[in-house]
Amino acid sequence: IFITFCALSKAKGMEINMRSDKRRVVLVGCGMVGMSYAYAMLNQNTVDELVLIDVNRLRAEGEAMDLNHGLAFSGSHMRIWAGDYNDCNNADIVVICAGVAQAPGESRRDLLKRNMEVFKSIIDPITESGFNGIFLVATNPVDIMTEITYKLSGFNPRRVIGSGTALDSARLKYLLGSYIQADPRSVHAYVIGEHGDSEFVPWSNALLATKPIDDIIAESKGKLKMEELSRIEEEVRTAAYKIIEAKRATYYGIGMRLTRITKAILGNENSVITVSANLRGEYGQNDVFVGVPCVVNSSGIQRILEISLTDEEKAKFAESCEELRQTYDELNEK
Ligand code: NAD
């Protein structure tokens, strides 16, 4: 049946985009974030083929050489090369970490406009290649750049994923786990909203195993304090600023986070991750890409897991969504 379908399709001049049995990821943007991701991918033996693309072709070539020289020690048989947009044709995932840095005196809006031009130069050739997989975006401001990717590609929004508050949630688990002396993997707590200043923790959903954090604090006989939760939330919100001040950029954490999301997609894991997703009525919100807990599998965002929020949390979330909508609208104003 398949051979007949192929023959008929060819006769009709239809192009068939078959993904090969090799798991292929194309990375666009070989800077600090992109290469931290590539390095984590190599060490965790996540794919069969990793293609590196950068506007600076020489850089992509150098990075491919450098990673290939580590292959012997990675326990991986990955093929890694500096490629071009035609390589996206049978890729499973295209990960975008490309972007331009803010110039001195440049407004956020002007920076966004320049990044939008960068994305046009990236998304158009990717879609023209016949790419039929999943976009994973890390470039900041990530919620807006994910929405731009969705609009430029015309893809189903379930196949356009931003890293959202996934890294922030990992920071929260680490800090909260340290405070209550629990393994971060047993802490179930999320940061939701914009990946940025208006993000927040819905504490009503923060648990250690199945026990609410509030109860753990109440039962600690004064050893743990409720006020500390606000300090932890603030530390999560300002973590990127502190790291940038200390070492100019953040990249290892996001590189590992992107690798985790990649595994959830390629392994069809149905894992819950707080990625940036397009809301269509969930939480009473529309027309926005924002960080919320989602079930992620090989179809991209399989579904948005709507968690129950208190009235105060609902208001904070609505505010965060409104800020994102305004930024996106401003960007498109003449
Ligand atoms: P970087 O400057 O080190 O790397 C950017 C790369 O993009 C460079 O190699 C550059 O040549 C490439 N590039 C620029 N224009 C391009 C184009 N048109 N086509 C292809 N490649 C192009 O920056 P970085 O530190 O790697 O950060 C990358 C992005 O990731 C930034 O927007 C940063 O804010 C963001 N980031 C996101 C998170 C998150 O949680 N989502 C965390 C950290 C950083």
Side-chain angles (χ1 to χ4, degrees):
I1 291 169
F2 178 71
I3 292 167
T4 315
F5 170 71
C6 291
L8 278 173
S9 307
K10 268 199 172 163
K12 284 185 179 170
M14 276 163 59
E15 200 162 314
I16 307 166
N17 295 316
M18 278 292 295
R19 290 194 223 158
S20 73
D21 55 349
K22 301 240 188 284
R23 297 162 305 163
R24 178 184 292 184
V25 168
V26 175
L27 165 66
V28 184
C30 301
M32 298 309 291
V33 170
M35 292 320 297
S36 300
Y37 167 67
Y39 188 60
M41 292 276 286
L42 174 60
N43 280 301
Q44 295 183 37
N45 194 10
T46 314
V47 280
D48 300 301
E49 299 177 336
L50 178 65
V51 184
L52 306 182
I53 298 179
D54 198 284
V55 70
N56 180 348
R57 168 87 195 175
L58 197 59
R59 180 172 193 168
E61 283 173 0
E63 294 290 5
M65 282 173 74
D66 204 359
L67 288 180
N68 275 322
H69 298 165
L71 261 180
F73 315 106
S74 75
S76 158
H77 300 285
M78 266 166 89
R79 272 192 67 221
I80 305 168
W81 70 94
D84 58 43
Y85 288 109
N86 290 327
D87 291 317
C88 297
N89 174 276
N90 52 358
D92 297 279
I93 309 175
V94 169
V95 180
I96 308 180
C97 302
V100 285
Q102 197 155 8
E106 187 177 38
S107 71
R108 192 178 68 154
R109 184 164 169 242
D110 288 344
L111 172 68
L112 254 174
K113 281 198 179 264
R114 282 206 296 140
N115 264 330
M116 188 157 159
E117 290 310 311
V118 166
F119 267 45
K120 272 188 191 150
S121 75
I122 292 171
I123 308 293
D124 289 355
I126 293 175
T127 49
E128 279 160 21
S129 77
F131 172 61
N132 194 24
I134 291 166
F135 278 107
L136 175 56
V137 180
T139 305
N140 273 325
V142 71
D143 302 290
I144 303 291
M145 299 317 294
T146 309
E147 182 158 6
I148 288 172
T149 304
Y150 159 63
K151 293 273 164 63
L152 292 174
S153 66
F155 270 36
N156 181 317
R158 292 290 181 255
R159 292 200 286 126
V160 184
I161 306 177
S163 59
T165 45
L167 176 60
D168 316 69
S169 297
R171 286 171 176 153
L172 173 66
K173 283 175 194 225
Y174 163 71
L175 289 170
L176 191 55
S178 304
Y179 182 59
I180 62 172
Q181 291 190 323
D183 183 337
R185 289 170 299 185
S186 303
V187 173
H188 303 288
Y190 299 108
V191 176
I192 63 170
E194 170 200 14
H195 171 61
D197 294 342
S198 67
E199 68 183 32
F200 70 99
V201 181
W203 287 108
S204 64
N205 284 280
L207 309 168
L208 174 61
T210 56
K211 195 174 173 85
I213 297 294
D214 285 2
D215 292 357
I216 288 177
I217 292 182
E219 289 168 18
S220 74
K221 299 195 176 111
K223 276 196 207 132
L224 301 173
K225 308 233 178 302
M226 220 46 142
E227 311 85 80
E228 279 298 294
L229 299 187
S230 315
R231 181 195 58 77
I232 289 171
E233 186 169 359
E234 188 56 17
E235 211 171 317
V236 169
R237 196 179 293 116
T238 54
Y241 295 116
K242 282 196 187 137
I243 297 172
I244 289 168
E245 207 177 297
K247 48 171 262 188
R248 299 171 69 110
T250 82
Y251 34 89
Y252 299 131
I254 183 64
M256 293 181 77
R257 207 41 173 131
L258 291 170
T259 303
R260 183 69 199 86
I261 300 171
T262 302
K263 282 182 163 180
I265 296 169
L266 295 176
N268 196 24
E269 286 184 9
N270 291 317
S271 288
V272 176
I273 311 178
T274 44
V275 288
S276 191
N278 180 225
L279 298 192
R280 297 187 161 187
E282 296 87 356
Y283 301 95
Q285 300 294 327
N286 282 294
D287 299 325
V288 68
F289 275 76
V290 64
V292 282
C294 294
V295 177
V296 178
N297 69 12
S298 59
S299 58
I301 292 172
Q302 192 268 337
R303 67 182 190 278
I304 291 169
L305 191 73
E306 204 170 336
I307 54 174
S308 41
L309 301 175
T310 63
D311 287 346
E312 195 188 335
E313 289 163 354
K314 276 184 199 153
K316 276 190 193 169
F317 186 70
E319 224 171 90
S320 192
C321 290
E322 191 47 38
E323 275 196 30
L324 285 168
R325 270 190 296 265
Q326 272 178 20
T327 308
Y328 188 82
D329 290 348
E330 264 174 39
L331 178 66
N332 290 295
E333 277 166 12
K334 292 268 174 269

